[in-house]
Amino acid sequence: MPLVDIQLIEGVFTEAQKKGMIEKVTDAMVEIEGEAMRGVTWVRVQEFRSGAWGIGGKGLTTEDVRALTS
Amino acid sequence: MPLVDIQLIEGVFTEAQKKGMIEKVTDAMVEIEGEAMRGVTWVRVQEFRSGAWGIGGKGLTTEDVRALTS
Amino acid sequence: MPLVDIQLIEGVFTEAQKKGMIEKVTDAMVEIEGEAMRGVTWVRVQEFRSGAWGIGGKGLTTEDVRALTS
Amino acid sequence: MPLVDIQLIEGVFTEAQKKGMIEKVTDAMVEIEGEAMRGVTWVRVQEFRSGAWGIGGKGLTTEDVRALTS
Amino acid sequence: MPLVDIQLIEGVFTEAQKKGMIEKVTDAMVEIEGEAMRGVTWVRVQEFRSGAWGIGGKGLTTEDVRALTS
Amino acid sequence: MPLVDIQLIEGVFTEAQKKGMIEKVTDAMVEIEGEAMRGVTWVRVQEFRSGAWGIGGKGLTTEDVRALTS
């Protein structure tokens, strides 16, 4: 405890970026919960298929989100 | 908000059917929450591997479910 | 199978509306998967505390969402 | 009801072991809830990519966990 | 790793039964993954409100399920 | 997208700390995904009952975790 689940659309972020998310989100949690909790802070990354994440009824594609992040 | 997660066994439904689920489930939610919420209604589809979804201790396969839906 | 999880902020929707979501989302799924699957279609409603669902770093309150839906 | 979700890192356990988890976890639940519930006890297995499950900010790999289980 | 999430309808099982589920499900997992993994095997219990878990479009109540388990 | 789910044991963290987690975890994600994504970055906090989160078969209580964080 605690557990943090990061959910993304696949293909948008590189392996290095996903690794960075695990590190930075762990640091953000430790800033609040205290260094003693670092070893029991779990952070996971889960990816959904392109088109499988709908907003307003329309499935977002990897390209849709890349356009947003560029 | 709201977020709706649809969980299926892979290989049972076509891409068009999964797209249809995102659309129809969004419509069903909007019918109740109001049109103003459509843009912030997220609906996602997640798929489990054939055999990884057990009922009564026995993993359902894609073929098991296809037999049910035909 | 399938399982659908509807996630809301508490206090926004009445019990009747939540009951309606279970019914209408089940109907939407059955429209695509077929009537034979109705009995094994599970739809659940889970609620988050007011302020526990952040968008852009700011926790949404029940009142925030009510203002949206009115 | 009930539903049990088993979450693993991919590549650590064989298909036979995952099948065994579904069976034994179902049995463990039935021991408490009663035999009448066996047919409505769902147990699913979900797998995360190697490196996508961080502990203390560092993503666990399949090899890390294999070393633990050997 | 691993993590197991047990999801129930509230009011059906006693605290002792839920405690028993955590113990027996952990034992079932350890039987397969090995004793070395016991300390990193997390098992959690989450409860849904009575009526918030629909099967076939109808929300199950605590009483419905108690009738099943008796 | 993205969505981040923070899962805690209830009673360990104050409302201010939970608010801080939503803010800092959002910032950590934006550092990687880019400022343009801030408005569509959802971060939620979910809490489990004291004793409902087992490690090695034993349910952690609020007091157990407080002792760790002090």
Side-chain angles (χ1 to χ4, degrees), chain D residues 36-49:
Chain D
M37 297 286 282
R38 182 178 291 276
V40 290
T41 299
W42 291 11
V43 176
R44 308 186 301 186
V45 173
Q46 183 186 358
E47 294 181 288
F48 284 74
R49 289 205 184 125

Side-chain angles (χ1 to χ4, degrees), chain C residues 7 46 48-49 51-59, chain F residues 10 22-23 26 38-39 41-47:
Chain C
Q7 299 138 73
Q46 182 187 358
F48 284 73
R49 289 206 184 126
W53 188 312
I55 295 186
K58 189 185 166 299
Chain F
E10 68 184 6
I22 290 177
E23 285 159 14
T26 301
R38 183 178 291 277
T41 299
W42 291 10
V43 175
R44 309 186 300 187
V45 173
Q46 183 187 358
E47 293 182 288

Side-chain angles (χ1 to χ4, degrees), chain A residues 7-43:
Chain A
Q7 299 138 71
L8 310 171
I9 290 175
E10 65 183 9
V12 175
F13 299 103
T14 65
E15 289 308 310
Q17 286 179 308
K18 288 182 278 186
K19 196 164 166 290
M21 286 175 183
I22 290 177
E23 285 158 13
K24 288 186 189 293
V25 166
T26 300
D27 291 342
M29 292 296 291
V30 166
E31 239 184 274
I32 290 172
E33 65 194 6
E35 195 57 46
M37 298 286 285
R38 183 179 292 276
V40 289
T41 298
W42 291 11
V43 176

Side-chain angles (χ1 to χ4, degrees), chain C residues 2-63:
Chain C
L3 170 62
V4 182
D5 278 315
I6 299 171
Q7 299 138 73
L8 309 170
I9 290 175
E10 67 185 4
V12 175
F13 300 102
T14 65
E15 290 308 309
Q17 285 179 309
K18 289 181 278 186
K19 196 165 167 287
M21 285 175 183
I22 289 178
E23 285 158 14
K24 287 185 188 296
V25 166
T26 300
D27 290 343
M29 290 297 290
V30 166
E31 237 184 276
I32 290 173
E33 64 194 7
E35 196 57 46
M37 298 287 282
R38 183 179 292 276
V40 289
T41 299
W42 291 10
V43 176
R44 310 187 299 188
V45 172
Q46 182 187 358
E47 293 182 288
F48 284 73
R49 289 206 184 126
S50 176
W53 188 312
I55 295 186
K58 189 185 166 299
L60 278 184
T61 65
T62 302
E63 292 65 33

Side-chain angles (χ1 to χ4, degrees), chain E residues 27-44:
Chain E
D27 290 343
M29 291 296 290
V30 165
E31 238 185 274
I32 291 172
E33 64 194 9
E35 196 57 47
M37 298 287 284
R38 184 179 291 277
V40 289
T41 299
W42 291 11
V43 175
R44 310 187 298 187

Side-chain angles (χ1 to χ4, degrees), chain B residues 30-47:
Chain B
V30 166
E31 238 184 274
I32 291 173
E33 65 194 7
E35 196 57 44
M37 299 286 284
R38 182 178 292 274
V40 289
T41 299
W42 291 9
V43 175
R44 308 186 301 186
V45 173
Q46 182 186 359
E47 293 181 289

Side-chain angles (χ1 to χ4, degrees), chain E:
Chain E
M1 205 289 294
L3 170 63
V4 182
D5 277 317
I6 299 171
Q7 299 138 72
L8 309 171
I9 290 176
E10 67 184 8
V12 175
F13 300 102
T14 65
E15 289 308 310
Q17 286 179 308
K18 289 181 279 186
K19 196 165 166 287
M21 285 176 183
I22 289 177
E23 285 159 14
K24 287 185 189 295
V25 166
T26 300
D27 290 343
M29 291 296 290
V30 165
E31 238 185 274
I32 291 172
E33 64 194 9
E35 196 57 47
M37 298 287 284
R38 184 179 291 277
V40 289
T41 299
W42 291 11
V43 175
R44 310 187 298 187
V45 172
Q46 183 186 358
E47 294 182 288
F48 285 73
R49 291 208 183 123
S50 176
W53 189 313
I55 295 187
K58 189 185 164 302
L60 278 184
T61 64
T62 302
E63 293 65 34
D64 292 335
V65 184
R66 277 213 196 115
L68 255 179
T69 58
S70 55

